[in-house]
Amino acid sequence: MSDKFDVIVIGGGPAGYHAAIRAAQLGLKSAVVDAFVGKDGKAALGGTCLNVGCIPSKALLDSSKQFFNLSHNLPAHGISVENAKVDMATFIGRKDKIVKQFTGGVDQLFKTNKIVSFFGKGKLLKGNEVEITGNDGKKQTISATNVILASGSVPIELPFAKFDGKNIIDNAGALDIDKVPKTLGVIGAGVIGLELGSVWNRLGAQVTILEALPDFLGTADADIAKVAQREFKKQGLDIKLGAKLGKAEVKKDGVHLVYTDKDGEKELVVDKLLVAVGRRAYTDGLLADDTGVKLDERGRIIVDEHCHTGVDGVWAVGDAVRGPMLAHKGFEEGMAVAEWIAGKAGHVNYDTIPWVIYTEPEIAWAGKTEKQLKDEGVPYRTGSFPFAAIGRAVAMNEAIGQVKMIAHAETDRILGVHMVGPGVSELIAECVVAMEFKGSSEDLARIVHAHPTLSEAVHEAALSVDKRAIHKGN
């Protein structure tokens, strides 16, 4: 046994590295075991999020938005650009540079906080020992008083549309397409499918999204989803609902798809196919048989409300456990567990976790939808306000979407806020703070918001709950 730690974290993604840094801040001797290898063949911290998820996808979304604006937004400002083109090497290279910057930043934070990194696949053994199989195949074993499992998630692969890295790709493959395809098929109209589909649609690809479910963005509020779907259609995204893929075959002229919808069986040929039907907890080979840690029917690690597995000193956080697969949810769980280990009061409020889809327009929400409240029999009132009546949004030529606020009919406590429009990934934070402090719509209605700003849409939506919005009829 090479060393003994207070805390060993298996997984260097968002949940894992936050846990390790917070543990080190609290004076605990910490180590992280991570097996991710970057494009350059070298070990890279940060997990899916920093390497092939949140950060690189946002880089491409921003770059593609700049190109899209040249022909779709700037002319309204009196600015014209002719023969604009994209240099794909620079386009992808910028994304890679950003990834390198952030993964290197995590590595430096580890050094600053004296966290020991072990590069390889970690496996929990009985007695809180961790076996590490290095990328070179060599093995070693370390131990700790506490082990935090933060192994993350991987894309779900369809048995009839297996990833080949070239024609049928996952989210990582969609970040490294070296030439804009004429046609791109996307399976799944969720966060990944919409975001990456938007990137290539903006660059000129004809994008067809097949979604098996009959409703668009069923997890979002229906009013918000309706606005978003309409805008995506205007942008040229062809979203087919109730379309179930049955076969995908790679041929010389592209990927041949067979799917069924309400009208029967149909065929579609695309240059590339992105499969984005969700992710699953990555717990393969994570646990020795005698650890006592249990998995549920979906392969997720079973934990209690404090992310404890029921085995002394073994915890689990992030995508590998119950709850939404969101990086920021993992952040908070990782830090909370470190604090619980140190005897402090960690905290995660799952009722106020914000969701964001970084399309154009952006979509964001926190709390309950109107349908959920109806199903639960909770009395409520709603208020909404369109960005079309917000001066800043109109000046930006991005006057699309709305803010919708839902408050308890009797107490006025904010139960949910749902947005689609410009900059709503940032606007949702104000609402999360209000909800966390059990605020009411009246609270937000009474707060002075700067003018002209996009945040005025939140203010007016809060006023609208009480039928006293100023800049629209009530």
Side-chain angles (χ1 to χ4, degrees):
M1 198 175 299
S2 60
D3 215 337
K4 173 80 175 183
F5 295 88
D6 295 316
V7 176
I8 296 173
V9 183
I10 299 180
Y17 83 74
H18 276 73
I21 291 174
R22 185 67 185 119
Q25 289 174 344
L26 292 166
L28 301 172
K29 184 179 180 183
S30 305
V32 171
V33 181
D34 189 79
F36 199 96
V37 176
K39 282 180 67 174
D40 58 3
K42 297 178 181 179
L45 294 166
T48 293
C49 179
L50 265 62
N51 286 281
V52 292
C54 317
I55 300 304
S57 64
K58 303 313 164 283
L60 293 191
L61 278 162
D62 191 73
S63 293
S64 64
K65 179 182 177 180
Q66 305 303 327
F67 179 75
F68 186 81
N69 281 344
L70 290 176
S71 57
H72 293 81
N73 196 7
L74 292 186
H77 296 272
I79 302 170
S80 60
V81 178
E82 296 181 0
N83 301 318
K85 61 181 181 179
V86 177
D87 179 84
M88 291 306 298
T90 303
F91 182 80
I92 299 298
R94 173 181 177 271
K95 177 262 299 181
D96 291 342
K97 183 178 180 180
I98 292 170
V99 168
K100 198 75 174 176
Q101 174 185 336
F102 278 89
T103 56
V106 175
D107 185 57
Q108 186 57 49
L109 286 170
F110 275 25
K111 292 174 181 175
T112 300
N113 288 282
K114 297 180 172 58
I115 298 168
V116 181
S117 298
F118 293 90
F119 295 107
K121 183 172 176 58
K123 182 176 185 178
L124 178 66
L125 307 179
K126 186 177 181 181
N128 295 2
E129 293 187 345
V130 175
E131 178 186 80
I132 305 167
T133 303
N135 296 332
D136 58 2
K138 294 181 180 179
K139 294 186 178 183
Q140 62 177 309
T141 302
I142 58 177
S143 67
T145 307
N146 291 275
V147 176
I148 303 174
L149 305 173
S151 51
S153 62
V154 291
I156 294 173
E157 186 175 48
L158 297 174
F160 46 83
K162 290 187 174 295
F163 303 128
D164 62 17
K166 180 181 179 183
N167 302 291
I168 302 177
I169 55 179
D170 60 8
N171 61 289
L175 296 170
D176 280 325
I177 298 174
D178 58 6
K179 180 182 178 183
V180 179
K182 290 184 178 179
T183 55
L184 174 68
V186 180
I187 309 303
V191 176
I192 295 172
L194 289 172
E195 288 186 355
L196 293 178
S198 292
V199 167
W200 298 104
N201 176 63
R202 293 171 187 171
L203 297 182
Q206 180 182 332
V207 178
T208 303
I209 302 178
L210 305 181
E211 171 55 56
L213 296 176
D215 298 318
F216 179 68
L217 279 183
T219 54
D221 187 86
D223 291 337
I224 299 304
K226 183 178 180 180
V227 173
Q229 185 179 10
R230 182 178 67 239
E231 293 304 319
F232 295 151
K233 184 177 181 179
K234 288 181 182 178
Q235 294 170 17
L237 284 174
D238 184 6
I239 303 173
K240 300 181 184 296
L241 300 175
K244 299 180 180 180
L245 181 67
K247 183 179 180 182
E249 185 177 1
V250 178
K251 297 184 179 181
K252 287 185 178 180
D253 61 340
V255 185
H256 289 241
L257 310 179
V258 178
Y259 68 94
T260 57
D261 61 14
K262 60 182 177 60
D263 298 320
E265 188 174 276
K266 296 182 179 178
E267 295 184 2
L268 176 69
V269 180
V270 294
D271 293 329
K272 290 186 182 293
L273 177 67
L274 165 61
V275 178
V277 295
R279 299 178 67 84
R280 64 174 179 83
Y282 180 58
T283 52
D284 304 355
L286 177 66
L287 306 169
D289 295 336
D290 58 354
T291 62
V293 177
K294 293 180 171 57
L295 305 179
D296 67 13
E297 69 281 355
R298 295 169 59 182
R300 299 176 302 185
I301 302 164
I302 297 174
V303 294
D304 63 15
E305 67 274 17
H306 294 107
C307 294
H308 194 260
T309 65
V311 176
D312 189 35
V314 181
W315 315 71
V317 296
D319 284 3
V321 303
R322 80 286 181 263
M325 289 184 171
L326 298 170
H328 43 282
K329 174 257 197 184
F331 291 171
E332 300 305 322
E333 285 182 333
M335 292 187 290
V337 166
E339 290 172 355
W340 285 321
I341 288 172
K344 296 186 178 296
H347 171 75
V348 181
N349 184 356
Y350 294 93
D351 293 331
T352 57
I353 295 174
W355 293 68
V356 179
I357 304 176
Y358 297 86
T359 46
E360 191 69 27
E362 293 182 340
I363 305 166
W365 70 89
K368 298 293 184 74
T369 65
E370 192 171 348
K371 182 179 184 303
Q372 287 173 324
L373 293 171
K374 280 182 180 178
D375 292 344
E376 294 171 10
V378 177
Y380 66 87
R381 298 184 301 160
T382 68
S384 62
F385 197 82
F387 281 101
I390 296 296
R392 180 70 187 279
V394 174
M396 293 166 57
N397 198 38
E398 294 184 43
I400 295 170
Q402 64 175 326
V403 174
K404 177 179 179 179
M405 189 170 296
I406 310 174
H408 196 285
E410 298 165 0
T411 67
D412 195 39
R413 180 176 173 181
I414 300 170
L415 302 176
V417 183
H418 309 268
M419 310 175 175
V420 56
V424 298
S425 60
E426 304 294 340
L427 296 184
I428 195 65
E430 173 185 8
C431 302
V432 170
V433 170
M435 292 169 68
E436 185 68 32
F437 285 92
K438 298 179 173 57
S440 65
S441 70
E442 179 73 6
D443 289 327
L444 287 182
R446 293 289 179 184
I447 293 173
V448 179
H449 289 68
H451 173 78
T453 61
L454 297 175
S455 69
E456 289 179 280
V458 175
H459 186 221
E460 290 272 11
L463 287 166
S464 178
V465 172
D466 199 38
K467 307 302 181 211
R468 53 194 178 96
I470 299 301
H471 293 95
K472 74 162 195 173
N474 293 291

